């Protein structure tokens, strides 16, 4: 099979992404934080004690309806900050628990039923504490380059996840490297970036390439994202980096199998400054960290 056709078969589906790097140094507790809005009712300017006519000014405060006690709003902020700190610490702990559940699973390729359940339960705990995602408010948090650390779909042992795809193992001279998602909220670009190593007959060295699966995205509702495939570009790296990029022609819609329409959708179930959890249109759980 020609190399371009082989890579095209592997990459046409948006679901055909994986990631085999085992480094998790970037996911340290010092980077795990969640900042809530400051809702304390403090004035940025201090009011003078006397009014213009020399009389003392009145001091206004909020009255409690339950015990008829007046309280200073500024005095309530420490407890609010305390609750926010406890919530942040809980989320940090839960994110480390999820990381522990998925580490060593080869992005889900080595996961068994017990592993899948543990990862799913750990993700649900984070989703429950974090609450619903509203992309109309938090869309800017999608911006950036995200690194895939886990996909439940790859437990099927195929590169297509829950969709048909080439089987994993030694049947193909292809080694998958790191996988990223690059999202631009201004241009609506949504690119899956896959690092590949393509085997070559001895004594030729393997070819290292980076394949970029370009999509456009749109937000549907409060937390669902729809992506539409546009094209695949393959760029040689390493010793062959001087070669120009190669654009693989898009398979005509009439020739596409029903399972590979070129588009898909997923729901963002948790999102903060360094972690993103999504659930796909076929129940696929994916975990990303900011890169």
């Amino acid at each position: 099979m020609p190399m371009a056709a082989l890579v095209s078969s592997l990459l046409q589906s948006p679901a055909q992404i994986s990631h085999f790097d085992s480094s998790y140094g970037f996911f340290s507790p010092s980077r795990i934080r969640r900042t809530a809005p400051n809702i304390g009712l403090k004035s940025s300017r201090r009011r003078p004690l006397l009014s213009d006519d020399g009389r003392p000014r009145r001091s206004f405060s909020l009255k409690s309806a339950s015990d008829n006690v007046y309280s200073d709003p500024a005095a309530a902020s420490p407890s609010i900050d305390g609750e926010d700190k406890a919530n942040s610490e809980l989320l940090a702990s839960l994110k480390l628990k999820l990381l522990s559940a998925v580490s060593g699973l080869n992005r889900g390729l080595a996961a068994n039923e017990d592993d899948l359940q543990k990862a799913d339960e750990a993700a649900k705990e984070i989703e429950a504490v974090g609450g619903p995602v509203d992309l109309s408010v938090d869309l800017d948090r999608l911006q950036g380059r995200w690194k895939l650390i886990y996909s439940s779909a790859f437990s099927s042992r195929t590169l297509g996840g829950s969709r048909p795809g080439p089987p994993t193992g030694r049947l193909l001279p292809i080694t998958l490297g790191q996988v990223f998602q690059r999202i631009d909220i201004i241009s609506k670009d949504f690119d899956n970036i896959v690092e590949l190593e393509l085997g070559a007959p001895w004594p030729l060295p393997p070819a290292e390439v980076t394949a970029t699966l370009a999509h456009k995205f749109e937000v549907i509702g409060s937390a669902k994202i729809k992506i539409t495939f546009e094209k695949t570009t393959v760029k040689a790296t390493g010793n062959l980096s001087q070669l120009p990029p190669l654009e693989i022609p898009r398979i005509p819609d009439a020739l596409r199998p029903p399972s590979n329409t070129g588009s898909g959708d997923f729901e963002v179930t948790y999102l903060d400054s360094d972690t993103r959890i999504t659930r796909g249109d076929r129940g696929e759980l994916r975990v990303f960290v900011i890169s």
Side-chain angles (χ1 to χ4, degrees):
M1 177 183 294
M3 186 61 67
L6 176 62
V7 177
S8 176
S9 172
L10 174 64
L11 298 175
Q12 284 292 343
S13 169
Q16 293 179 5
I17 62 175
S18 182
H19 170 206
F20 284 77
D21 179 53
S22 60
S23 172
Y24 293 100
F26 51 84
F27 202 97
S28 61
S30 63
R31 292 191 61 186
I32 301 176
R33 59 179 63 88
R34 183 174 178 85
T35 306
N38 179 13
I39 61 174
L41 304 177
K42 295 182 179 180
S43 172
S44 59
R45 300 178 60 187
R46 182 179 297 275
R47 293 167 59 90
L49 297 179
L50 299 179
S51 62
D52 294 338
D53 58 1
R55 297 181 180 181
R57 288 187 179 273
R58 280 189 171 185
S59 176
F60 292 90
S61 59
L62 298 181
K63 182 177 181 181
S64 171
S66 59
D67 53 11
N68 201 32
V69 175
Y70 288 87
S71 58
D72 182 3
S77 60
S79 63
I80 295 174
D81 293 342
E83 291 176 3
D84 177 58
K85 181 179 179 181
N87 188 70
S88 298
E89 291 176 349
L90 176 58
L91 279 171
S93 175
L94 292 176
K95 288 196 288 186
L96 287 175
K97 179 180 178 180
L98 175 60
L99 175 63
S100 177
V102 303
S103 63
L105 299 182
N106 210 5
R107 303 308 177 268
L109 286 166
N112 56 33
E113 288 298 325
D114 185 55
D115 297 323
L116 292 174
Q117 183 177 355
K118 288 181 179 179
D120 188 71
E121 290 175 351
K124 285 181 177 177
E125 289 183 291
I126 296 176
E127 293 164 346
V129 174
V133 174
D134 186 356
L135 294 179
S136 66
V137 176
D138 293 330
L139 184 63
D140 60 323
R141 287 187 169 182
L142 284 178
Q143 180 75 28
R145 185 174 177 176
W146 296 85
K147 190 174 187 177
L148 177 72
I149 65 171
Y150 174 76
S151 172
S152 64
F154 291 103
S155 64
S156 63
R157 307 299 191 269
T158 75
L159 298 181
S162 62
R163 299 168 173 81
T168 60
R170 299 182 179 179
L171 298 180
L172 293 175
I174 298 177
T175 301
L176 295 181
Q178 299 186 46
V179 174
F180 302 91
Q181 284 185 347
R182 183 174 57 204
I183 303 175
D184 190 322
I185 63 172
I186 304 300
S187 63
K188 302 300 181 182
D189 288 329
F190 190 104
D191 299 334
N192 288 328
I193 303 171
V194 186
E195 297 178 356
L196 300 168
E197 185 179 277
L198 309 178
W202 188 87
L204 297 176
E208 298 176 357
V209 301
T210 297
T212 301
L213 288 74
H215 301 75
K216 290 292 184 180
F217 82 92
E218 60 178 316
V219 178
I220 304 174
S222 61
K224 182 174 289 187
I225 291 179
K226 179 181 179 180
I227 58 174
T228 302
F229 175 76
E230 291 195 324
K231 64 180 180 179
T232 298
T233 303
V234 178
K235 178 69 173 70
T237 58
N239 296 331
L240 302 177
S241 59
Q242 71 276 9
L243 295 177
L246 171 66
E247 183 173 324
I248 300 177
R250 188 176 187 269
I251 299 177
D253 293 340
L255 301 179
R256 287 177 177 271
S259 60
N260 185 7
T261 61
S263 64
D265 58 75
F266 58 88
E267 184 174 2
V268 181
T269 56
Y270 179 80
L271 178 64
D272 66 18
S273 60
D274 56 33
T275 305
R276 176 163 56 96
I277 300 176
T278 68
R279 293 187 181 269
D281 53 1
R282 300 195 181 190
E284 300 169 12
L285 169 66
R286 291 179 179 175
V287 182
F288 296 85
V289 295
I290 198 69
S291 172

